[in-house]
Amino acid sequence: MRFFLILFAFTISSIAFSQSPPAPSMPKANQEILIDELISVSNYKDALMNYSKVYLWGEQYKGGKRRYENEDINTVLGNFDFEAFKKSSIYNSFSFISERKLKNLIEFYKDNDGKIDTKNNTLFISASITHNLQYQLNAEIEKLKKN
């Protein structure tokens, strides 16, 4: 009986005092404007789609056999909701960059005609953006494979 009372007390106290995870970081209004401008002047969406295409091509033959077709890649990229991804992942990652540094990045891209390289394959990305993007792309491929 004593054991159950201790177990019950421990369970109740752990539930009562547990903390929920912190809310994701979101940019301030000024930062959001700068992030949107950076996305625009850097052709970020195009570069992200190039990255996604290369990622999916690499995943296509994982495990030594073809897992899905090129048409599946085109379908996933065609249905990609960049605006939703921007709000859930890009804003969160870029919210840690100061306004001054965001302005510097904007000027850098403006000075280079919006691209670092001619094919727009180089982009400014963080580990969390990469993880979220790969998770989303993999989930979409799995949905296609089930159908």
Side-chain angles (χ1 to χ4, degrees), residues 25-38:
S25 176
M26 293 305 287
K28 297 178 216 150
N30 291 343
Q31 277 182 307
E32 190 172 318
I33 292 167
L34 292 171
I35 291 168
D36 286 337
E37 185 177 357
L38 175 62

Side-chain angles (χ1 to χ4, degrees), residues 32-65:
E32 190 172 318
I33 292 167
L34 292 171
I35 291 168
D36 286 337
E37 185 177 357
L38 175 62
I39 288 169
S40 175
V41 300
S42 68
N43 299 302
Y44 199 86
K45 181 179 179 180
D46 294 336
L48 194 69
M49 291 297 99
N50 288 341
Y51 174 89
S52 299
K53 191 179 298 181
V54 170
Y55 171 75
L56 288 172
W57 283 339
E59 291 290 303
Q60 187 177 28
Y61 289 100
K62 200 170 192 177
K65 65 177 188 165

Side-chain angles (χ1 to χ4, degrees), residues 18-129:
S18 66
Q19 298 178 7
S20 60
S25 176
M26 293 305 287
K28 297 178 216 150
N30 291 343
Q31 277 182 307
E32 190 172 318
I33 292 167
L34 292 171
I35 291 168
D36 286 337
E37 185 177 357
L38 175 62
I39 288 169
S40 175
V41 300
S42 68
N43 299 302
Y44 199 86
K45 181 179 179 180
D46 294 336
L48 194 69
M49 291 297 99
N50 288 341
Y51 174 89
S52 299
K53 191 179 298 181
V54 170
Y55 171 75
L56 288 172
W57 283 339
E59 291 290 303
Q60 187 177 28
Y61 289 100
K62 200 170 192 177
K65 65 177 188 165
R66 190 174 200 156
R67 298 172 49 219
Y68 46 84
E69 301 298 321
N70 290 339
E71 294 81 26
D72 296 331
I73 293 172
N74 293 335
T75 300
V76 167
L77 296 179
N79 294 334
F80 185 79
D81 187 354
F82 180 77
E83 290 301 313
F85 185 75
K86 177 176 77 171
K87 289 180 176 142
S88 67
S89 186
I90 296 172
Y91 279 172
N92 175 275
S93 292
F94 286 10
S95 68
F96 297 103
I97 302 171
S98 71
E99 289 182 32
R100 182 181 60 76
K101 289 180 181 178
L102 285 169
K103 288 177 184 176
N104 289 342
L105 284 169
I106 291 167
E107 287 306 312
F108 170 78
Y109 276 101
K110 283 182 178 178
D111 290 344
N112 291 290
D113 297 322
K115 297 179 183 177
I116 297 175
D117 61 31
T118 56
K119 294 183 180 179
N120 201 27
N121 286 328
T122 306
L123 79 150
F124 183 67
I125 198 164
S126 69
S128 63
I129 292 173

Side-chain angles (χ1 to χ4, degrees), residues 12-24:
I12 295 298
S13 64
S14 66
I15 292 171
F17 296 110
S18 66
Q19 298 178 7
S20 60

